[in-house]
Every structure is written in C-alpha cells, then in structure tokens.
C-alpha cells in the first residue's frame, strides 16, 4: 500500500491502537477515524467501506455532493477525492479499509462484477433497514474475529472470501434504489462532459479539447454546462485541478514542484500563481495551514 491519506492512516492516527489489520492490505476499526482533519480534501489509495450505525456524514466525492444518513453503508473507492463537510456528533460506525492489492487478489474481479462497485460512483451510500444492518454487522464481526486469529495461517484467504460475500450481500441493496428519472439530452451531455474532465483535466484544460470530443462548439458546450450545473465549463475544469492539487498536498509528501509536474504545469511558478488565484493562498501556505 502506498502512503495512505492522513485521515485514514490508521498506523499513526492517535487513539487507533485498537485497529485490527493484516499487514498493510486489510484493516478494521470501530474508532471515529473518519473525523480527523475532515475539512480538507484527501485522496486515499485504499477503498473504504463505512458501516454507519448512528449519525450523518455530508461532503463531496470527486466534487459530487452526498449526504449519508445512518443506518447505511458508505463506500469510497481508492483514488477518489473525498471532502467531509459535516459529521454529526452522534456519528458512530465500523470501518473496513482495503488496499488495491487486496481487492485485485480476490478470486473474482469484484470491481466489475459486484453491483455495488459498479454503482458506487453515482451512489456512494445505500440506506439499510434494521435487518440489513444487522446482517452487515455480522459480516464485520466475522472479519474482525478472523483478523484477530493471528495464529491462523489461512486468515487472509478467509478474509478474502468474507469480503466477497460482504460486497455481494451489500450490492443487492442497489437493485432496490429508486430508478433514475429519464434524463434530457442536455443532462447527459453535462454528465459526459464532467466524465471527460475527470479523465483528462491533468493534461487538458482548454475548452476546445472537450468541445471537439463531444462534437460541439465551445460556446454551445459552455452554455449547456452553465445552464445544467450552475458553473461554467472552465470553472469545472479549474475545480478539478485545484481539488487534485489540494488532495495531493494533504494525502502525500509530494513537493510543490512534484505536484506541479503531476498536473502538467509548465513550471512551478506558473502553478503557484494558478493555485493562489483560485484558493487565495500559495501552495506552501496551504500545506502549512
């Protein structure tokens, strides 16, 4: 596992001595680690499943807002940029953290086969009734007992099978979500534009690229995006760039130069001016804040 984002670095988080783990690939915690430094965006390289038992979490994932109300299951995938804006004082839950290596070594390609992973980009949380919550907590308890049985040479394999069963069971709930209303052509266009931006913002920040990909004029594309999202197309591009930069500053030890290079700016000075224009502070000041 690479460096984990600060809010979920369970090896260094104060008070997380009760975390149960197998190496750096699989970890469980009943502590309230979700609250640490939550006012900054971060980009963990682990997939996190949070069984929310009490309380509410509000925030954004890749700039898309969500409000998860317990009882529910909240999923954040590795590589997504998360920012918590509000966590109720009564929040409590159980956390499962899995490295990419762990998920890739499951018997099946769970990210492609399980409905939960296919749908979680649009629905990061699913509501649970009392019976469903009880079932998911039972899975968690079995995982916890298995991880704690350190003398068992097969505990990793057992945890993998339990994880598959956990996600298959949880994914069933996605079939019960209300059907999305039929979207207009402009809604679909806006969605396609944002998907393109998410995939290309590091290399492409000009409107012409996105307009060409969507077979539209830059002027018409800008008009549609503004009408459908309330933000201009250029604002969305800038937002993704700044969000990624802020997440890298909070979630890694990358230098300002390295972040500038990662985002394909011509030089550090240009990046610094761009960052300050959009955030009001320099990259170094932001990192220290």
């Amino acid at each position: 596992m690479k460096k984990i984002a600060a809010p979920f670095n369970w090896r260094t988080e104060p008070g997380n001595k009760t975390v149960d783990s197998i190496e750096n690939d699989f970890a469980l915690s009943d502590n309230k680690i979700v609250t640490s430094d939550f006012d900054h965006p971060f980009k963990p390289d682990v997939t996190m499943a949070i069984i929310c038992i009490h309380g509410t979490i509000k925030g954004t994932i890749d700039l898309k807002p969500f409000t998860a109300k317990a009882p529910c299951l909240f999923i954040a995938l590795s590589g997504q940029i998360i920012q918590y804006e509000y966590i109720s004082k009564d929040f409590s839950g159980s956390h499962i953290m899995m490295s990419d290596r762990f998920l890739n070594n499951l018997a099946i390609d769970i990210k492609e086969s399980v409905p939960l992973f296919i749908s979680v980009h649009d629905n990061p949380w699913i509501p649970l009734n009392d019976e469903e919550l009880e079932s998911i907590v039972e899975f968690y308890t079995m995982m916890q007992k298995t991880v704690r049985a350190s003398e068992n040479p097969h505990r990793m394999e057992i945890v993998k099978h339990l994880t598959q069963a956990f996600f298959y069971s949880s994914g069933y709930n996605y079939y019960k979500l209300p059907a999305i209303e039929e979207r207009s052509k402009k809604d679909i266009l806006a969605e396609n534009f944002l998907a393109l931006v998410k995939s290309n913002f590091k290399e492409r920040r000009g409107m012409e690229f996105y307009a060409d990909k969507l077979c539209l004029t830059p002027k018409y594309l800008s008009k549609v995006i503004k009408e459908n999202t309330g933000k201009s197309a250029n604002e969305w591009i800038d937002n993704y760039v700044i969000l990624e930069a802020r997440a890298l500053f909070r979630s890694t030890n990358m230098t300002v130069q390295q972040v500038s290079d990662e985002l394909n700016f011509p030089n550090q000075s240009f990046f610094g001016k761009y960052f300050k224009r959009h955030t009001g502070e320099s990259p170094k000041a932001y990192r220290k804040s």
Side-chain angles (χ1 to χ4, degrees):
M1 210 186 293
K2 298 177 183 178
K3 178 178 173 61
I4 300 175
F8 289 91
N9 192 341
W10 48 269
R11 291 195 179 280
T12 60
E13 188 78 12
N16 279 350
K17 297 180 180 180
T18 60
V19 169
D20 299 295
S21 66
I22 300 179
E23 299 177 350
N24 284 330
D25 287 318
F26 188 87
L28 304 168
S29 176
D30 294 321
N31 290 338
K32 200 174 181 180
I33 57 177
V34 72
T35 62
S36 175
D37 198 30
F38 68 83
D39 56 333
H40 296 286
F42 57 96
K43 188 177 184 179
D45 63 354
V46 291
T47 289
M48 297 170 289
I50 305 176
I51 305 170
C52 303
I53 299 172
H54 296 289
T56 301
I57 307 174
K58 293 183 181 180
T60 62
I61 294 182
D62 288 341
L63 292 176
K64 184 174 182 178
F66 70 85
T67 300
K69 298 181 180 180
C72 71
L73 178 65
F74 176 81
I75 303 285
L77 301 178
S78 170
Q80 291 185 314
I81 298 180
I82 308 162
Q83 182 164 11
Y84 297 114
E85 298 171 353
Y86 167 78
I87 299 175
S88 63
K89 293 182 179 180
D90 64 338
F91 174 82
S92 65
S94 298
H95 307 72
I96 305 171
M97 293 161 279
M98 298 156 286
S99 71
D100 288 340
R101 181 172 64 177
F102 175 83
L103 291 176
N104 291 336
N105 286 336
L106 293 180
I108 59 170
D109 189 347
I110 198 166
K111 290 184 179 180
E112 295 297 328
S113 303
V114 177
L116 185 150
F117 278 94
I118 297 172
S119 303
V120 74
H121 288 281
D122 296 321
N123 301 290
W125 70 284
I126 50 175
L128 304 171
N129 60 36
D130 291 341
E131 184 178 345
E132 291 163 346
L133 176 63
E134 182 180 355
S135 175
I136 286 180
V137 169
E138 286 177 0
F139 271 113
Y140 179 87
T141 302
M142 286 189 286
M143 290 176 181
Q144 195 173 55
K145 289 180 179 179
T146 300
V147 172
R148 288 177 176 176
S150 57
E151 73 286 352
N152 187 339
H154 306 295
R155 63 177 183 152
M156 178 60 90
E157 292 305 312
I158 297 172
V159 164
K160 287 179 181 178
H161 288 296
L162 286 172
T163 300
Q164 288 179 199
F166 174 86
F167 284 123
Y168 270 124
S169 175
S170 305
Y172 164 75
N173 291 283
Y174 271 96
Y175 289 119
K176 301 186 296 182
L177 292 176
I180 298 176
E181 295 180 2
E182 186 176 350
R183 296 169 297 170
S184 70
K185 289 183 179 180
K186 290 184 178 181
D187 290 334
I188 295 172
L189 175 59
E191 183 179 298
N192 290 340
F193 167 75
L194 292 176
L196 276 174
V197 173
K198 183 179 178 181
S199 299
N200 296 280
F201 71 89
K202 290 183 181 180
E203 294 81 22
R204 304 284 187 170
R205 288 188 273 275
M207 275 297 299
E208 292 77 10
F209 170 81
Y210 297 101
D212 183 62
K213 284 287 186 181
L214 296 169
C215 301
L216 300 168
T217 65
K219 183 177 181 180
Y220 180 74
L221 177 59
S222 296
K223 179 176 180 292
V224 171
I225 299 306
K226 181 69 173 180
E227 289 176 351
N228 280 58
T229 69
K231 295 180 183 178
S232 71
N234 282 322
E235 282 182 300
W236 278 110
I237 296 169
D238 289 336
N239 285 347
Y240 269 99
V241 174
I242 293 300
L243 183 70
E244 181 77 10
R246 293 174 66 198
L248 290 174
F249 285 135
R250 292 294 176 180
S251 304
T252 74
N253 290 322
M254 293 172 70
T255 65
V256 175
Q257 181 64 62
Q258 288 172 327
V259 173
S260 174
D261 292 341
E262 174 72 14
L263 296 174
N264 287 291
F265 280 86
N267 53 62
Q268 181 177 326
S269 175
F270 189 92
F271 167 67
K273 292 176 182 177
Y274 178 93
F275 188 89
K276 187 171 184 177
R277 183 167 71 251
H278 291 284
T279 66
E281 56 186 339
S282 69
K284 289 183 179 179
Y286 177 78
R287 169 158 268 168
K288 292 179 181 179
S289 64

